[in-house]
Amino acid sequence: MKWKVKVKAIKTSLMFVGDQAGKAEEAIKFYTSLFENSKIIDIERVEAGGHDPEGAVKLARFSINGTLFLAMDSYYDHQFSFTPSMSLHVECGSEKEIEDVFKALSDGGKVLMPLDNYGFSEKFGWLNDKYGVSWQLNLSS
């Protein structure tokens, strides 16, 4: 195909499944507390009688540093979860910033690449946070 589709928007959507089901709201509160210019826009909740428990996050909209994200809980037995092959890449402006964010996000998670100079970056780190979401942090030159 050699055509292009005009779309209104493209957003990152995070579905909290398996052991993480029910943690969408906790995660977005954590993420929006870490970064300036971030906020929870709205949260739509599951009503009684649905597949997921009443009050679970049906759909949440939030922004991190002005970028819009979606999040939801799903208690369905999915055969997938978050994977590092898809991660949120953050450009940090100072050593203190990258170290503080790396420490906060890696607490309870798993460090995939500790903060270090890997040749392509003066300081870079990659981790899965305690919710399983993958983050790459880079110190901008």
Side-chain angles (χ1 to χ4, degrees), residues 15 19 24 32 49-50 55 96 118 126 130:
M15 185 185 335
D19 293 343
T32 56
K96 179 169 180 14
Y118 292 98
W126 197 340
K130 62 186 171 187

Side-chain angles (χ1 to χ4, degrees), residues 64-134:
I64 298 176
N65 194 30
T67 299
L68 185 62
F69 291 83
L70 306 174
M72 66 196 77
D73 288 314
S74 178
Y75 289 81
Y76 183 79
D77 185 23
H78 296 287
Q79 298 303 305
F80 57 82
S81 186
F82 297 118
T83 170
S85 66
M86 179 68 177
S87 58
L88 302 178
H89 187 97
V90 179
E91 292 290 330
C92 299
S94 71
E95 288 215 26
K96 179 169 180 14
E97 185 178 87
I98 194 171
E99 289 168 2
D100 289 350
V101 171
F102 191 88
K103 182 179 178 184
L105 287 171
S106 63
D107 185 24
K110 179 180 178 185
V111 173
L112 304 174
M113 292 175 75
L115 284 175
D116 205 349
N117 182 335
Y118 292 98
F120 58 84
S121 172
E122 180 182 319
K123 192 167 246 185
F124 175 86
W126 197 340
L127 60 97
N128 289 344
D129 68 23
K130 62 186 171 187
Y131 306 105
V133 176
S134 182

